Amino acid sequence: MSAPERIPPGSVSAADTGTDADAAELLAHGELTVRGRIRDASNAALFCTVALDGREATCIYKPVAGERPLWDFPDGTLAGREVAAYEVSKATGWDLIPPTVLRDGPYGEGMCQLWIEVSTDAELLALAEGEEAGDGWKAIGLAEVGEGQTALLVHADDDRLRRLAVLDAVINNADRKGGHLLPTGAGHLYGIDHGVSFNAENKLRTLLWGWAGETLTEDALTVLGALRDTLAEGGALAAKLTPLLTPAEIDATRARVGDLLATGRHPEPTGEWPAIPWPPV
């Protein structure tokens, strides 16, 4: 199978699927047809179309059978973690992750996520000269650029990225790379690839450290307060996460939300775990 780089002309993108609930229904119950393979993915990721009652969309299907074993995550759990991340995103109201479901497919059970058409116009990451990020940017750290030279890696001082940084702290995302940021032509920003999230141990690895230690926004604190309530025993989000995560992982998620509310600040690297994923993009 070939690896398509863009949605073929005439296919249906996220904007044509209606609400998130409509998209989730289509993803969960539509006929799934494999069209190609994303070859640079670390786990099997298949480019598909899904069709139901005259509606059609493009999507990514990641079968559990194609997941690469990891030393720090139980085998066969990455698809469920992707769905859990979507459920948390949906509960925030920020719409940061494309509609994602767990379903059966041509290669068995797997994660199915709406394909997002990406705009190449947005500038979210850059290399800067000197030691200061400059207006409109936040510093991440120094990056080697060849021949013993370094440059300052920066990300945009963007409210959309800041919300995503909060979500990553909640779900304990161990792999927030630049290539996992999907800006659209309509100005929306999505994050993808959340299979290595929700570990009970602190494993936050991200490029979005620009706000580390800074005070959380009022918007973020309001959302975190709502998450605390819906994650409580008997809460709606807790019920949705129960079949996807272990009790210890759900408890750890509650604890992370509680810690963010208690400190009122973005987390900082602890030094116990590499803070930036590799490769970063």
Side-chain angles (χ1 to χ4, degrees):
M1 294 181 289
S2 62
E5 296 184 0
R6 296 178 65 86
I7 296 177
S11 63
V12 181
S13 64
D16 301 305
T17 58
T19 66
D20 271 14
D22 294 334
E25 179 189 24
L26 176 60
L27 292 170
H29 302 294
E31 181 180 359
L32 196 61
T33 303
V34 176
R35 303 296 186 185
R37 182 174 181 178
I38 309 301
R39 295 191 179 278
D40 58 356
S42 55
N43 298 291
L46 304 177
F47 180 81
C48 301
T49 56
V50 60
L52 179 69
D53 298 332
R55 294 182 295 147
E56 182 176 295
T58 44
C59 60
I60 294 296
Y61 161 55
K62 297 181 182 179
V64 172
E67 293 180 3
R68 178 170 53 90
L70 299 172
W71 68 270
D72 51 350
F73 286 85
D75 292 350
T77 67
L78 305 191
R81 295 172 193 277
E82 295 245 32
V83 179
Y86 168 67
E87 293 294 347
V88 174
S89 168
K90 186 167 66 171
T92 67
W94 286 337
D95 189 25
L96 296 172
I97 298 176
T100 311
V101 303
L102 198 63
R103 61 161 292 167
D104 194 32
Y107 298 101
E109 184 179 62
M111 178 277 277
C112 191
Q113 184 176 79
L114 197 66
W115 176 274
I116 300 299
E117 181 75 353
V118 177
S119 169
T120 58
D121 295 333
E123 291 189 83
L124 300 176
L125 298 170
L127 291 170
E129 296 181 359
E131 299 180 355
E132 299 294 331
D135 291 342
W137 297 93
K138 292 292 217 177
I140 303 169
L142 292 175
E144 294 185 8
V145 293
E147 299 182 356
Q149 300 295 313
T150 61
L152 186 65
L153 182 61
V154 297
H155 66 68
D157 188 2
D158 185 310
D159 289 342
R160 301 170 302 172
L161 289 179
R162 190 166 190 173
R163 286 178 167 182
L164 198 58
V166 174
L167 177 68
D168 284 344
V170 170
I171 68 174
N172 196 17
N173 189 355
D175 196 33
R176 174 61 71 207
K177 296 176 179 175
H180 300 166
L181 305 173
L182 305 185
T184 73
H188 198 84
L189 178 70
Y190 291 100
I192 59 167
D193 284 352
H194 301 97
V196 288
S197 297
F198 294 102
N199 200 296
E201 299 180 7
N202 179 26
K203 291 183 178 290
L204 183 60
R205 291 196 305 174
T206 176
L207 284 179
L208 304 181
W209 286 116
W211 297 281
E214 292 189 17
T215 302
L216 292 164
T217 65
E218 287 299 321
D219 175 43
L221 291 171
T222 299
V223 165
L224 289 166
L227 281 182
R228 176 181 55 194
D229 294 341
T230 193
L231 277 169
E233 299 235 1
L237 182 56
K240 291 178 179 179
L241 297 184
T242 296
L244 303 169
L245 304 172
T246 68
E249 289 165 345
I250 296 174
D251 284 343
T253 304
R254 293 185 182 113
R256 289 190 296 271
V257 171
D259 289 344
L260 288 166
L261 285 167
T263 64
R265 295 183 178 277
H266 288 269
E268 299 180 81
T270 65
E272 301 172 355
W273 177 258
I276 297 176
W278 185 262
V281 178

